[in-house]
Amino acid sequence: MTALSYPPGTWREIQEDLLSTPELERAAVGFAGHVTSSRGTRLLLRDWSPVPLDEYLVQLGTHLEVSPRFWTRAAKRARNSGECIVIMHSHPRAQGTPQFSASDLGGERLLVPRLQARATVHVATVVIGPDGAQASHYAPNSKQRRPLALRPVGTFEPDGDSRGGTDGQDARQVLALGAAGNAVLRDLVVGVVGLGGLGSHVSTQLSHLGVRRIVGVDFDRVEPSNLSRLVGSRRRDALLRRRKTAVGHRVARRLGAGFKPINGRVEDPAVARELLECDVVVGCTDNQSSRAVLNRLALQFYVPVLDLGVQIRPGGSSGGRATWLLPDSPCEWCRGILDPDVVRAEQLPAHLREVELERGYIADMPVDQPAVVSVNGVVASLGVTELVARCTTALGDNRGEMLVYRLGDGTVRRVGAASRRDCATCNPSGNLGAGDLVELL
């Protein structure tokens, strides 16, 4: 089924506006990007505007009519941008899930063809009540009305039943998370980008949790220096130069988890698009260029990303962080985690990087970073626990955007931040929710 994915914060704003007049219906228009993957088509709500009061021709408690000029402007924007149009209105008196009225359906039959005559795009219709919402959509150049699922970004529901694990395997876990929470984890498809010191911990823990399928991304092979921190590795893996994805696959298989190995770099657009089939992605990379891609993926395609990072400074401050990247939260450019000069330098071909290093245009970049398996384990466990908490809500729903661990004093705390208004990544005027309207890389 086609779905409309929306940022929960944006949806709350729409609900507050459309339900602000309990005796009168209200309307709004939304604009959405779109993406099609192996899991179907998703419309990505990125922006919206209420109907101004002077644009209502009729505004009653059970009926609305909006000026054609308003819809003409909306169609013009969609024609120029390629965005989908989302027609929204309220049923403020509805009890339970609101239903489209005969008047609504008659209005759709007149309005949707007129919009699609001006802009060949998806058109969605949504009715919102105090207790829920219902939606439908029309594909480009189609008069057929189809149901449209509504999915808030960053929340998860089980696809199947809510029974516990097989043969009591998840019995203790069900006691902690509940049958429904355990079912959510079992149904998840989780991407793990980077299967080294951090990622091997994460992939192993996800396998123990009973996650249905893990999509593991890494281009590298096992070396002797990896054995001190690569969970599940053996000396023979280093001797034979086995791929890190092969180690992850072996560990997952022994625990009964599905594992899809992808041998490549996430900076490759074809590899990055493989992550669109995931419900959530955990970033475990150790460079900024790959982190920048995941940052963009999360905000442009509404694929929740939990980005993990470890920093060890001998004799200095050490620790790590777990950062959620969601359309309602600031991106890693706004947080100062990403440095544009470093990202650019890492993306340069090797020979050009050497030239710029010699000329002093970029700073020297160390290749090998300090690593300790136990510190990786702490940060990986914090991250996986954050993922479990957000996916199941069984561990509480007070989820912050970034969790910071400081090794020196052993503290863990949440850190907030604000999005920059001019940020091209997390602003609707930039790439936020654009999906396939903009190239990923």
Side-chain angles (χ1 to χ4, degrees), residues 163-179:
R163 293 176 294 178
T166 304
D167 299 327
Q169 178 178 331
D170 300 339
R172 297 291 186 93
Q173 190 166 292
V174 170
L175 291 176
L177 306 178

Side-chain angles (χ1 to χ4, degrees), residues 351-389:
H351 67 285
L352 292 181
R353 190 183 306 120
E354 291 298 325
V355 170
E356 296 212 3
L357 280 169
E358 290 176 2
R359 295 178 178 178
Y361 293 151
I362 59 176
D364 192 16
M365 297 185 301
V367 176
D368 296 324
Q369 302 292 334
V372 178
V373 66
S374 59
V375 179
N376 288 340
V378 171
V379 176
S381 294
L382 286 173
V384 172
T385 305
E386 280 288 284
L387 188 151
V388 171

Side-chain angles (χ1 to χ4, degrees), residues 112-253:
V112 172
R114 292 173 182 173
L115 292 174
Q116 290 190 326
R118 292 178 169 87
T120 309
V121 297
H122 289 273
V123 176
T125 59
V126 182
V127 58
I128 296 175
D131 301 321
Q134 188 177 153
S136 62
H137 94 289
Y138 299 80
N141 293 321
S142 173
K143 296 181 179 179
Q144 187 171 7
R145 186 176 190 268
R146 297 181 181 275
L148 180 69
L150 294 170
R151 295 179 182 166
V153 182
T155 61
F156 306 89
E157 296 179 357
D159 293 333
D161 59 51
S162 297
R163 293 176 294 178
T166 304
D167 299 327
Q169 178 178 331
D170 300 339
R172 297 291 186 93
Q173 190 166 292
V174 170
L175 291 176
L177 306 178
N182 191 65
V184 170
L185 288 177
R186 191 179 63 235
D187 288 342
L188 284 179
V189 179
V190 182
V192 180
V193 180
L195 292 168
L198 264 179
S200 60
H201 274 283
V202 170
S203 180
T204 299
Q205 291 189 33
L206 293 175
S207 300
H208 279 286
L209 284 167
V211 169
R212 177 181 65 178
R213 189 171 63 156
I214 300 166
V215 179
V217 178
D218 203 305
F219 69 94
D220 209 358
R221 295 177 181 272
V222 182
E223 299 178 355
S225 64
N226 300 142
L227 299 177
S228 64
R229 62 188 186 279
L230 187 64
V231 176
S233 64
R234 305 168 178 170
R235 290 181 179 274
R236 189 171 180 81
D237 295 326
L239 180 65
L240 298 178
R241 295 275 292 161
R242 289 194 173 110
R243 291 190 178 274
K244 292 180 179 178
T245 53
V247 175
H249 191 189
R250 182 177 66 217
V251 173
R253 185 179 66 248

